[in-house]
Amino acid sequence: MKCPRSNVLLGALAALLFPGATASGSAADALAWPPLTSQTRPWVWWWWPGSAVDPTNLFRQLQLFHAAGLGGVQIIPIYGAKGWESHYIRYLSPEWMKMMGDTVADARRLDLGVDMTLGTGWCFGGPTVSDHDANARVVVKTFDLAAGEKLTEKFDRQTLQALVAFSPRGKTVDLTGEIARDGSVNWTAPAGAWRIYAVSQAPSGQKVKRAAPGGEGWMLNPLYPRAMRDWLHWFDRAFDHYTGPKPRAVFQDSYEYRTDWAPDFLAQFEKLRGYRLQAVLPAIFGEQQEEEAARIKSDYRRTVSDIMAEESEPVWIAWAHRHGFATTYQAHGTPGNWLDLYADADMPETEMFHLDRNPLVSKFASSAAHVAGHALVGAETGTWLAEHFTVTLGELKQLADDMFLSGVNHVYYHGCCYSPEAAPWPGWLFYAATEMNPRNSIWRDVPALNAYVARCQSILQSGRPDNDLLLYWPISDFWNNPRGLLQPMTVGQISWFDDQPIGAAARKLWDRGYAFDYVSDRQLQSARTKTNEIEMPGGHYQVIVAPECNLMPLGTLRKLLSLAEDGATVIFQNHLPADVPGWGNLAKRRSAFDGLIHALSADAVASAGGSAITIGQGRVLVGNLENQLAFARCRPEGMTAEGLRFVRRSFAGGWHYFIVNRNAKGFDGWVTLARPANSVAILDPMTGHAGVAAARQTHDQTAVYLQLPAGGSLILRAFAAQKVSGPAWPYWQTHGRPAAVTGDWHVRFVQGGPVLPAPFQTSALASWTQLGDTNAQRFAGTARYEVTFVAPDSASGKNYILDLGKVCQSARIRLNGRDYGTLIAPPFQVAVDNVKPAGNRIEVEVTNVSANRIRDLDRRHVPWKYFHDINFVDINYRPFDASDWPLTDSGLLGPVTLTAVSPFRP
């Protein structure tokens, strides 16, 4: 049964459940930030090991989260700590439900939100999932019979799904209904050689990963909608009589099921594809490598995708809505069409894994949200970013920027373990996380990162996405492969993307500065043309681009041409598609397809880099992508040629640009915007400062002057008509060479452990691990550096850039009693204006990562890895051992310099 869905109703529900995610913005105060709310602040995955939680420790940690500037938590019960078994609470038991409810209530009092995973660990599954409902592998057995030979094998009528005999000449005999009660089949092979296919299924062996007590069991079968419905009865029993406060949303983690079949798959296939898979079993399970096998397997893969997108996933989403939850969903990893699956949920959620950080892949989640009209795009942020205890706040900032550039606007750190106060340092930990917890030394300066993310998200959650192009995903070409069954697609191994035309087209558009969203065959069916633009449920677009492709569903081609007839512009890169995908009713579909293509080709006229075809009120362009985009008057953002990346959103009266400098060096120059602006403001999300930018008009375009260090980011607020007044944004020009800050640095350790090292004094800055003090070598925490110095010249009234040089790994700065904030990423520089000729005092509080402290524990064989299941592994999934790590540089390494600057107006 399909779960009926209404985009309007679900949009209204999402707005109710995700307050603050608005469809429009206001520029009443041109230099003001939007309000920072629990939703705009970053959230954190909060694992509950063994669910061994208690009210005191829960509330204590929530208070720490709130004080650090987090906006909420996502509860995920997992396996527990050894020695704490008596404290375990079984998942969904009355005691567990009370802990969950009390947590939600306490969080609300602290202005924190709460989400929770549906189930424990990942993926969906647990003790109520039967063998019948478990994720399953198809089991195919073959038997070869010669003419006159009798089939002697016996079969289980209850589990066998198909028994079909095939001759080399294509004859088939369906024996499924001929199985006797004793399992025998009274059949003798007629003339010729015959092969009999027996098809059944068996549990794949995949159980819930990292399950918590009470959550163990099979993963369910996502290709079997009944399995989803059966599983949800478990939650009905827990929630139907529950009257306490509930989390905001429930969550499904990324796809790690092992399944390729289902009890009703043959029936589902026949319903969706219009022919019986039983009649072509040699093509899908045999050794055939020709076109027929590729087409039939394409139909098999499309059927898997359709079942998930139209049947299984809507079941749990509808359940959540009935119970008052919004839904978040990581569709990546599925063998189906990610765009359709992401779009099913209220908030699609992506992730990046270690070094696999491709914003073009994460754009699948944001595209699904943008096209469907969902306000929020989540991101699991920090999964295996680097080895444990080595991740810096600067690296997290860079990762968050990558997420924002891909369209994300709701970051979830990955993550933090609940840990009782009684657990010795480093407390309870999860093995695949950036240890974003109050016990990690970097936590001291986490508020600076959280404030940065909150300011960025306050902008990125307001208004609407402002992308010009829809980039069609020709998944039929990818599915048309005679090898294997399902074709996995992950955020890590991305040959499925890079090696396909969509990957090349997306990279070209990205590098050339075009703003775009991906769109699927199914999503295109909801498109319509209005005033020569393509309207989707989530917004409007100027052009649809079909990357170079050979196969396209007939319904998709018809829809594209219909949109063009109504006034839209459709671009086919290089050539028109050549054929339809799939096997069912092929001749009839191909004939209709060829007729449309022939009519198009007959009306084509030459244009720059290809051909143009007028259809009704619109047009179809074919040829070189960049030439055709120029012909269609699609204007890119030229800043990408300078190494700047951007994401653009519109608000009532203008546009917001989030811009990151991805160059290895700073950028200092003019940037021309693709949107015409009467005036522009610059907002710095790291400091909160804002001012009116230097801007100039050239014809119908606006250029803005930017100064942005390598890795730096800022936000432009461009007003279409309003003329902004207010403080000017400061621009700096340097004078002379940097002058070293010299003198004796007095260093005192102020916070951290295991013990505070002795203070020291030095005139030559270096890592504090080089002191020869074993306490310093194993220390994780903060040291205060102080120096008194004479200015390099007569300094009264002058401006300088204070550069700390190398910092390991974050720093708070005060100069002559004035606080200049917290620096978390290079370059560790700040503009200062209170330097005196003499008697200047710099105070720098530097916090390192916890690598040396964890190294010390392992060198002394202190037991701290005492968890069930996988226990604690390193980034290569081997048992974690830091005892042979080299010492990690820590502290202020410098050189600390002052460079004279003066303000200028470009």
Side-chain angles (χ1 to χ4, degrees), residues 4-17 23 321 343-346 369 371-375 464 526 528 535-538:
R5 303 183 77 232
S6 163
N7 286 333
V8 174
L9 289 177
L10 291 188
L13 178 65
L16 178 65
L17 295 174
H321 291 164
D344 278 341
D346 301 305
V371 168
H374 301 317
R464 290 183 177 274
S526 65
R528 68 189 185 106
E535 274 204 340
M536 302 300 296

Side-chain angles (χ1 to χ4, degrees), residues 744-766:
D744 288 333
W745 290 87
H746 298 265
V747 184
R748 183 167 60 89
F749 294 89
V750 296
Q751 180 180 312
V755 297
L756 297 181
F760 66 95
Q761 182 175 328
T762 183
S763 59
L765 292 171

Side-chain angles (χ1 to χ4, degrees), residues 437-483:
N437 65 63
R439 303 172 301 283
N440 193 346
S441 56
I442 65 173
W443 187 262
R444 187 173 193 268
D445 287 338
V446 154
L449 173 64
N450 291 343
Y452 170 81
V453 171
R455 292 189 190 101
C456 290
Q457 293 187 161
S458 73
I459 297 293
L460 299 175
Q461 289 181 18
S462 65
R464 290 183 177 274
D466 185 47
N467 296 328
D468 295 320
L469 313 181
L470 280 173
L471 180 60
Y472 167 67
W473 187 11
I475 198 170
S476 295
D477 278 355
F478 176 67
W479 279 341
N480 194 65
N481 187 333
R483 293 182 292 277

